[in-house]
């Protein structure tokens, strides 16, 4: 009996020796070795700095008119690096303001979608059985719809207001999140340590917080990095249709709309905001792919 | 009688991985004779499967093979995929461990078998099904017409494996390579599959290579056995010699870990003995004998000096410093 | 299989009812109404107008009356375009939107499928990187940026194609391309990764061991399995095309349903908006059903159930 115990101890210590690096350390190593993902991080940091700092350091303002340079192309000498529009407004500053709004909307809407999706999915997965069935049926139902129509109805009929844009986008983009979290929750729930916690009488809320959330965090992080650009795109889409952000406030979508209206005479008006939008999309997608590879190596 | 049909010389298989090169097979030489059944035994990761995947050009993308594998005067490793396609599936066939994932899920069995005949014997789409049916009937698979209309997941595990074997026999190959054909099956179904292979050995001239970690399967079917450890051959002998007089400590360990009805090998408590430790990391091989860290009879030089594979009495080849160990 | 279809059809009914309820309540509980623009209307006339469209009744009653009418196939009159019923407006816009959407979708499937397969078969080659870059760009650059640029190039500079309006096939080329590109990108990516995964599977190794030609392995053994994720994506793809068509119709000034929708929403033309939502929700539901059936045909494991 005692010899058996030493064998077990030996086995465990040898197993511990083999294990070595933890899952998260491994993931971090894989992520930092991914050139595209690191490029994405650097790109995003630069764009964020540009968005935050430009209005403080630039000589121009969001709607300041410079009558001496109306409809001027990009130029380093006259100080309008990205050119001006037909009112003489400086595009470099306007693109930075647009970046603020677009990034903010991307983050806020994703935060809303995240909260709803995680709560809903974890609850469905945790409760299981009939309730889970009904809750997920509802998700299936909503999934089958072109949800952009609801956003459009919301922002046109209820009111054109930036907070409604937040809520509108956030309120329809939580479905996939809920599915992911519910799936993960179901699989975690069957693990022994969660069963042990249930038997030990730990409250459901505590089990969700202590056991389930830490385990679903990987796929959720990946999804979040891919949802932010999607939501930025949805906002641009709404603004392009004239339904999102309203003047004098601006966003990349608003600027792209103005640019595409004046494409022939002032191509720079489309070029700069569209390039920033595209680069941001690239960065988030690179990071998202990098995180997926890092957190879930078997999926490569 | 001993007329070689397949000869490997200095065969090596290496994989490039993000963590470095993994040498799955190193300097492996062996021959397979006509009509012979050769067993290849070893733990998983010993390189036994990769040896034959390499010979048929089936290595994963990051794998490369070196050395030669000669069949009908040609080095298989040098052939283009196109040339290989005239040999594999026709003259040399291979069956795999997991018939469920090894068969195409969305094709009916009849189509999967028939396409072999269409590819290698130039049969038409209309003529192939009849030939397939003939063979399946000969293999005594019950209700053959119905079975050929089924998809792989509709068949039982044993039936799938028999179908896979049938697929490998359609062109009456010179060599059949069976990679762990019974591992995934229940014991009774294992017996059916072994019976099928036994019948094949008895009634046809096909040479068989049986890759397995199950010594029981080897004992019942093979003429000669090759034992592999960490990518190298450590011992080779006729099946009786190997079972009654294993020389290499690893072979002895394998035999001792086999369950038997009359146990005289394991210790007196009747417990099965296991070989302590784990196979070495193929990226980071010890300098001497790869088995030294786990060997019960290890000597000082085993850690520094790798024992060469040498010819011993009779058919035996052995790579061990313990001369004439018994 | 039949039981499966019936079950899915039964599931579609509550889905549609939920859609109607949700959008109806959303619209009708919001402050304001379709007659806000005519600010100078006499209160009595306004009341008369409202009662003519049942807008004076409580929202639940309006909803029930509306559902009753829809069940009889009556989508009601348009409030703003007073000479037309919603069904008439739909029948004007649908041919344009459908022809645009179906062409874009077919193009996306064909081009995305071919590009993705080719990239997977030549993994890590120059062609693979080219396809992946194209695909990333297609996802990163929205169609409302691509469309004006295409117009400028092919319409204005090269003067090859009309930049707006609806007429012969030449009018459709640019809108279809602009609408299809994001979907081409997504489908190519999806196809590539699923093809790579399938090519690594055991049964492909078996097929190689059988000595089959590479063409046969790809077409007969790999493709039917690799295409399954693309088939599942068809539902979201339809939704994506519908979403895209709204903005594409705006840019190219096409008389499709999407433009009616935006205008209707801005004008608070409740029946028109409802009609379009019902139609598109129905289209997506039907497409999802077709996708499920198609999936069953391609994957024998589902067919048996």
């Amino acid at each position: 009996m005692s010899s058996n115990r030493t064998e077990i101890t030996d086995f465990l210590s040898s197993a511990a020796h083999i294990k070595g690096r933890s899952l998260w350390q491994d993931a971090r190593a894989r992520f930092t070795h991914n050139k595209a993902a690191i490029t994405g991080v650097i790109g995003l940091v630069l764009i964020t700095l540009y968005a935050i700092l430009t209005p403080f350091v630039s000589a121009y303002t969001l709607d300041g008119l410079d009558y001496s340079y109306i409809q001027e192309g990009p130029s380093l000498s006259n100080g309008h690096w990205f050119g001006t529009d037909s009112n003489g407004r400086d595009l470099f500053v306007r693109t930075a303001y647009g970046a603020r709004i677009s990034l903010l909307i991307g983050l806020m809407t994703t935060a809303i979608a995240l909260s709803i999706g995680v709560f809903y999915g974890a609850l469905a997965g945790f409760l299981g059985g009939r309730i889970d069935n009904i809750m997920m049926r509802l998700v299936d139902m909503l999934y089958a719809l072109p949800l952009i129509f609801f956003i459009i109805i919301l922002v046109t009929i209820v009111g054109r207001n930036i907070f409604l844009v937040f809520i509108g986008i956030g309120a329809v983009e939580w479905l996939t999140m809920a599915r992911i979290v519910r799936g993960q929750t179901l699989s975690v729930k069957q693990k022994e340590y969660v069963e042990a916690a249930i038997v030990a009488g730990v409250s459901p809320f505590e089990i969700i917080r202590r056991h389930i959330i830490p385990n679903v965090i990987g796929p959720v992080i990946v999804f979040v990095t891919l949802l932010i650009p999607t939501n930025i795109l949805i906002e641009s889409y709404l603004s392009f249709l004239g339904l999102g952000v309203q003047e004098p406030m601006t966003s990349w979508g608003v600027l792209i709309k103005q640019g595409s209206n004046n494409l022939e005479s002032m191509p720079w008006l489309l070029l700069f905001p569209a390039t920033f939008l595209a680069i941001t999309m690239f960065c988030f997608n690179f990071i998202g792919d990098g995180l997926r590879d890092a957190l879930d190596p078997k999926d490569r | 009688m001993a007329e070689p049909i397949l000869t490997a010389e200095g065969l090596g298989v290496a994989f490039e991985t993000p963590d470095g090169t993994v040498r799955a097979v190193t300097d492996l030489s062996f021959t397979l004779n006509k009509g012979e059944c050769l067993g290849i035994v070893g733990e998983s990761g010993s390189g036994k499967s990769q040896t034959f995947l390499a010979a048929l050009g089936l290595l994963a993308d990051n794998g490369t093979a070196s050395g030669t594998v000669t069949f009908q005067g040609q080095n298989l490793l040098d052939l283009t995929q196109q040339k290989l396609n005239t040999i594999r599936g026709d003259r040399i066939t291979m069956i795999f461990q997991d018939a469920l994932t090894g068969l195409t899920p969305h094709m009916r069995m009849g189509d999967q078998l028939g396409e072999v005949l269409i590819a290698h014997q130039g049969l038409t789409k209309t003529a192939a099904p009849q030939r397939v049916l003939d063979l399946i009937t000969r293999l005594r698979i019950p209700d053959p017409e119905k079975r050929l209309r089924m998809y792989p997941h509709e068949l039982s595990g044993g039936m799938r494996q028999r179908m896979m074997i049938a697929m490998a026999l359609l062109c009456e190959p010179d060599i059949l390579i069976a990679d762990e054909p019974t591992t995934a099956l229940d014991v009774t179904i294992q017996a059916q599959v072994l019976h099928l292979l036994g019948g094949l050995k008895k009634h046809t001239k096909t040479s068989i290579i049986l890759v397995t970690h199950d010594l029981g399967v080897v004992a019942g079917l093979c003429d000669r056995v090759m034992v592999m450890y960490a990518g190298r051959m450590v011992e080779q002998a006729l099946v009786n010699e190997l079972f009654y007089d294993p020389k290499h400590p690893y072979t002895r360990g394998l035999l001792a870990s086999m369950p038997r009805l009359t146990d005289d090998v394991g210790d007196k408590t009747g417990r099965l003995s296991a070989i302590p430790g784990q196979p070495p990391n193929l990226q980071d091989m010890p300098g001497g004998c790869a088995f030294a860290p786990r060997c019960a009879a290890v000597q000082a030089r085993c850690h520094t000096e790798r024992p060469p594979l040498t010819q011993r009495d009779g058919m035996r080849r052995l790579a061990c410093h313990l001369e004439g160990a018994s | 299989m039949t039981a499966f279809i019936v079950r899915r059809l039964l599931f579609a009914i509550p889905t549609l009812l939920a859609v109607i309820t949700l959008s109806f309540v959303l619209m009708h509980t919001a402050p304001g109404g379709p007659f806000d623009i005519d600010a100078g209307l006499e209160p009595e006339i306004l009341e008369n107008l409202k009662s003519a469209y049942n807008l004076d009744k409580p929202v639940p009653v309006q909803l029930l009356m509306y559902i009753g009418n829809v069940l009889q196939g009556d989508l009601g009159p348009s409030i703003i375009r007073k000479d037309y019923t919603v069904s008439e407006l739909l029948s004007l816009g649908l041919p344009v939107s459908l022809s645009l959407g179906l062409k874009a979708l077919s193009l996306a499937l064909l081009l995305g499928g071919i590009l993705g397969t080719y990239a997977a078969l030549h993994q890590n080659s120059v062609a693979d990187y080219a396809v992946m870059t194209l695909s990333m760009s297609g996802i990163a650059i929205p169609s409302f940026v691509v469309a004006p640029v295409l117009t400028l190039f092919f319409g204005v500079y090269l003067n090859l194609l009309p930049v707006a309006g609806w007429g012969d096939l030449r009018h459709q080329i640019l809108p279809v391309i602009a609408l299809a590109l994001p979907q081409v990108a997504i489908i190519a990516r999806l196809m590539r990764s699923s093809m790579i995964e399938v090519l690594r599977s055991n049964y492909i190794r078996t097929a190689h061991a059988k000595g089959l030609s590479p063409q046969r392995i790809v077409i007969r053994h790999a493709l039917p399995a690799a295409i399954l994720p693309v088939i599942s994506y068809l539902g979201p793809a339809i939704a994506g095309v519908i979403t895209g068509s709204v903005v594409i119709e705006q840019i190219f000034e096409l008389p499709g349903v999407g433009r009616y929708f935006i205008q209707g929403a801005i004008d608070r033309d409740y029946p028109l908006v409802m009609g379009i939502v019902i139609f598109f929700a129905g289209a997506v539901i039907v497409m999802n059903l077709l996708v499920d059936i198609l999936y069953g045909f391609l994957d024998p494991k589902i067919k048996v159930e």
Side-chain angles (χ1 to χ4, degrees):
Chain A
M1 193 62 200
S2 78
S3 85
N4 191 25
R5 186 166 297 160
T6 26
E7 273 171 30
I8 290 172
T9 320
D10 284 353
F11 171 74
L12 287 178
S13 59
S14 71
H17 175 71
I18 293 164
K19 198 182 163 199
R21 291 179 295 182
S22 85
L23 196 70
W24 287 100
Q25 280 171 319
D26 246 18
R28 201 168 64 192
R30 272 195 297 267
F31 186 80
T32 48
H33 279 100
N34 186 330
K35 286 199 195 81
I38 293 301
T39 313
V41 172
I42 295 171
L44 269 190
V45 168
L46 291 179
I47 289 176
T48 311
L49 287 177
Y50 162 72
I52 294 174
L53 297 181
T54 303
F56 294 114
V57 299
S58 173
Y60 307 100
T61 54
L62 174 63
D63 41 12
L65 312 178
D66 186 347
Y67 294 111
S68 37
Y69 297 104
I70 284 176
Q71 225 171 309
E72 283 286 327
S75 150
L76 286 178
S77 58
N78 66 18
H80 296 293
W81 295 350
F82 288 0
T84 58
D85 64 11
S86 49
N87 293 321
R89 293 183 293 188
D90 180 71
L91 188 62
F92 187 78
V93 171
R94 289 179 67 74
T95 306
Y97 273 106
R100 284 182 165 191
I101 296 292
S102 287
L103 291 176
L104 184 70
I105 287 183
L107 291 176
M108 290 298 293
T109 52
T110 304
I112 293 172
L114 179 72
S115 326
I116 305 176
V118 167
F119 180 76
Y120 193 94
L123 199 65
F126 185 78
L127 294 175
R130 267 183 87 88
I131 300 173
D132 170 48
N133 212 346
I134 293 169
M135 287 176 82
M136 293 325 283
R137 277 285 162 177
L138 188 71
V139 169
D140 287 347
M141 214 182 252
L142 292 172
Y143 232 112
L145 303 173
L147 290 168
I148 194 75
F149 287 77
F150 287 100
I151 305 180
I152 291 177
I153 291 177
L154 203 64
V155 294
T156 52
I157 293 179
V158 183
R160 267 176 247 174
N161 158 326
I162 191 165
F163 294 103
L164 275 177
V165 176
F166 287 171
I167 293 167
I169 297 175
V172 298
E173 289 294 324
W174 57 272
L175 298 173
T176 310
M177 186 80 75
R179 276 194 179 170
I180 293 174
V181 173
R182 179 227 173 217
Q184 291 283 323
T185 307
L186 273 186
S187 71
V188 173
K189 205 174 78 170
Q190 280 142 14
K191 300 261 161 66
E192 285 83 354
Y193 57 85
V194 173
E195 281 177 1
I198 295 172
V199 173
V202 181
S203 81
F205 179 75
E206 195 67 358
I207 290 174
I208 290 177
R209 196 177 67 82
R210 293 280 299 274
H211 295 286
I212 295 182
I213 291 179
N215 276 289
V216 302
I217 209 125
V220 167
I221 289 176
V222 173
F223 184 69
V224 161
T225 40
L226 296 173
L227 187 59
I228 294 173
T230 309
N231 288 351
I232 292 178
L233 215 53
I234 293 178
E235 184 281 323
S236 306
Y237 172 96
L238 289 174
S239 295
F240 187 89
L241 289 173
L243 306 175
V245 172
Q246 303 292 319
E247 291 275 12
M249 215 190 263
T250 197
S251 75
W252 284 338
V254 173
L255 293 172
I256 287 171
K257 170 75 173 168
Q258 285 162 1
S260 71
N261 286 344
N262 302 293
L263 188 55
E264 227 182 313
S265 52
M266 295 177 277
W268 57 90
L269 287 186
L270 178 67
L271 179 70
F272 289 104
T275 306
F276 270 91
L277 178 66
I279 290 176
T280 308
M281 298 293 115
F282 270 119
C283 290
F284 274 114
N285 278 302
F286 283 155
I287 297 172
D289 287 352
L291 283 172
R292 176 166 33 214
D293 290 351
L295 294 170
D296 191 8
K298 68 176 180 293
D299 206 39
R300 261 184 297 197
Chain B
M1 146 95 201
E3 187 188 342
I5 185 161
L6 188 79
T7 313
E9 292 282 348
L11 177 67
V13 178
F15 292 94
E16 291 302 326
T17 70
D19 302 323
T21 305
V22 175
R23 308 193 61 80
V25 179
T26 313
D27 194 21
L28 183 68
S29 302
F30 66 90
T31 56
L32 172 72
N33 294 320
K34 249 180 200 162
E36 183 188 32
C37 178
L38 174 65
I40 319 279
V41 180
E43 287 167 285
S44 49
S46 61
K48 52 196 196 311
S49 298
Q50 297 303 335
T51 301
F52 298 100
L53 291 176
L56 290 183
L58 298 174
L59 289 177
D61 289 342
N62 60 343
T64 46
S66 55
T68 61
V69 178
T70 311
F71 173 75
Q72 292 179 341
Q74 318 175 77
N75 178 9
L76 294 178
L77 304 184
D78 285 346
L79 295 183
T80 59
Q81 292 285 316
Q82 206 179 351
K83 269 276 184 60
L84 262 180
N85 274 346
T86 62
I87 295 173
R88 59 188 181 191
D90 185 31
R91 299 334 312 147
I92 306 178
T93 58
M94 188 159 180
I95 58 179
F96 300 97
Q97 171 177 348
D98 186 353
L100 179 60
T101 62
L103 292 168
T104 303
H106 51 263
M107 281 176 75
R108 292 176 195 278
M109 285 317 309
D111 294 337
Q112 300 200 44
L113 282 126
E115 65 181 355
V116 176
L117 293 170
I118 296 170
H120 295 294
Q121 305 195 339
L123 259 64
T124 59
K125 268 186 185 164
T126 43
Q130 188 54 48
R131 283 278 297 280
V132 169
L133 187 63
D134 288 349
L135 181 92
I136 296 289
T137 315
R138 277 218 308 275
L139 290 178
R140 304 227 177 83
I141 288 175
D143 211 353
E145 276 118 340
K146 190 173 147 219
R147 292 255 147 70
L148 287 175
R149 278 196 306 272
M150 285 181 167
Y151 291 98
H153 70 275
E154 297 171 279
L155 299 168
S156 69
M159 190 54 69
R160 275 197 289 269
Q161 193 56 276
R162 283 154 83 177
M163 284 288 184
M164 204 179 224
I165 294 173
M167 199 150 80
L169 297 181
L170 280 169
C171 297
E172 293 166 3
D174 297 322
I175 303 171
L176 171 73
I177 302 166
D179 186 358
E180 304 267 9
T182 58
T183 306
L185 302 176
D186 291 345
V187 181
T188 49
I189 300 163
Q190 275 188 21
Q192 291 175 12
V193 169
L194 290 177
H195 183 75
L196 182 62
L197 289 175
L200 176 73
K201 187 187 157 200
K202 205 188 284 174
H203 301 297
T204 70
K205 289 195 283 291
T206 302
S207 310
I208 300 175
I209 291 174
L210 189 64
V211 179
T212 180
H213 64 268
D214 186 343
L215 285 164
V217 172
V218 169
L221 219 54
C222 294
D223 304 309
R224 200 151 53 95
V225 190
M226 186 170 115
V227 181
M228 284 183 74
Y229 186 77
R232 290 177 188 270
M233 188 199 297
V234 293
E235 184 166 13
Q236 178 198 292
L238 291 176
V239 71
N240 284 339
E241 291 176 20
L242 190 97
F243 271 84
Y244 292 111
D245 186 17
K247 297 283 190 196
H248 198 284
Y250 177 62
T251 316
R252 276 186 254 152
L254 280 182
L255 286 168
S257 62
M258 260 176 81
R260 306 177 177 213
L261 286 177
T262 53
D263 200 311
D264 53 356
V265 179
D267 59 27
K268 288 169 189 71
T269 60
R271 289 207 328 221
L272 282 174
S273 66
I275 306 175
Q278 266 142 14
N281 181 350
L282 292 173
Q283 283 157 259
D284 183 26
M285 291 286 275
C289 173
F291 188 61
R294 301 171 71 185
C295 185
V298 66
Q299 302 172 344
R301 65 167 171 164
C302 295
H303 289 294
T304 53
E305 199 185 320
R306 193 168 48 75
L309 187 68
T310 51
Q311 189 74 42
R312 306 294 168 97
D313 52 312
M315 296 289 289
R316 190 184 300 269
R317 292 161 82 192
L318 182 66
C320 184
H321 289 308
L322 302 167
E323 204 69 35
S326 55
Chain C
M1 195 72 190
T2 332
F4 170 76
I5 295 173
V6 170
R7 208 167 56 231
R8 292 301 307 251
L9 276 174
L10 287 178
F11 182 59
I13 294 170
T15 309
L16 258 182
L17 279 179
V19 174
I20 295 175
T21 310
L22 199 63
S23 21
F24 197 91
V25 171
L26 200 61
M27 277 194 294
H28 287 259
T29 48
F35 309 112
D36 291 357
I37 15 163
D38 308 321
L41 280 177
E42 300 282 332
E44 289 142 54
I45 301 177
L46 193 63
E47 282 315 306
N48 283 341
L49 271 173
K50 277 193 174 174
S51 76
Y53 292 102
N54 294 322
L55 293 178
D56 51 345
K57 299 192 174 60
V59 173
V61 178
Q62 289 184 46
L63 176 63
L64 286 178
M65 288 172 71
Y66 181 74
I67 292 175
N69 287 339
V70 170
L71 287 179
Q72 293 164 35
D74 178 13
L75 293 171
S78 163
I79 297 183
I80 305 296
R81 289 157 216 253
K82 297 194 171 59
D83 300 336
Y84 293 95
T85 65
V86 172
S87 308
E88 281 165 352
L89 286 174
L90 275 177
S91 66
L92 283 176
L94 275 181
V96 175
S97 297
L98 279 182
S99 128
L100 201 63
L102 289 178
K103 278 177 192 137
L105 199 64
S106 320
L107 179 68
L109 276 176
L110 201 68
L111 199 59
I114 291 173
L115 287 177
T117 307
Y118 188 85
L121 292 176
H122 300 85
Q123 214 187 331
N124 297 327
S125 70
V126 179
D128 182 24
Y129 288 124
V131 169
M132 288 309 286
T133 311
L134 187 84
S135 157
M136 272 302 255
S137 313
I139 293 166
I141 306 173
S143 53
F144 50 84
V145 171
V146 174
V149 175
L150 283 179
T151 315
L152 187 68
F153 253 76
F154 293 98
V156 180
Y157 290 163
L158 300 175
N159 204 13
L160 282 174
L161 295 164
V163 296
W166 190 249
D168 56 18
L169 207 62
R170 292 175 60 243
H171 283 96
Q172 302 186 16
I173 295 177
L174 291 180
V176 166
I177 291 177
L179 193 51
L181 273 184
Q183 304 303 327
V184 172
I186 296 171
I187 290 173
R189 237 178 110 135
L190 212 56
M191 189 76 209
R192 177 182 178 273
S193 64
S194 90
M195 183 56 106
I196 286 175
E197 200 184 315
V198 168
L199 288 176
R200 282 189 198 137
S201 64
N202 282 343
Y203 58 85
I204 296 300
R205 188 179 63 186
T206 307
H208 280 293
K210 281 155 83 177
L212 303 177
S213 71
Q215 296 89 312
R216 184 168 176 91
I217 292 176
V218 169
I219 294 170
R220 202 68 178 81
H221 291 259
L223 210 53
I227 207 153
L228 289 180
V230 175
I231 301 289
S232 327
Y233 175 71
L234 270 182
I238 308 272
V241 165
I242 291 174
T243 308
S245 69
V246 172
V247 59
I248 291 295
E249 286 174 13
Q250 202 88 353
I251 292 171
F252 290 95
E253 293 166 29
L254 306 178
V257 180
R259 292 189 77 196
Y260 287 131
F261 180 76
I262 300 290
Q263 203 49 51
I266 292 172
D267 296 341
R268 297 177 178 238
D269 193 340
Y270 297 148
L272 181 60
V273 171
M274 284 304 303
I276 293 173
V277 168
I278 290 172
F279 177 78
F280 275 136
V284 173
I285 289 169
V286 168
M287 274 317 287
N288 278 323
L289 181 66
L290 288 179
V291 165
D292 284 342
I293 294 170
L294 192 61
Y295 207 99
F297 270 108
L298 284 171
D299 187 353
K301 274 180 218 167
I302 292 179
K303 205 186 297 182
V304 189
E305 285 168 18

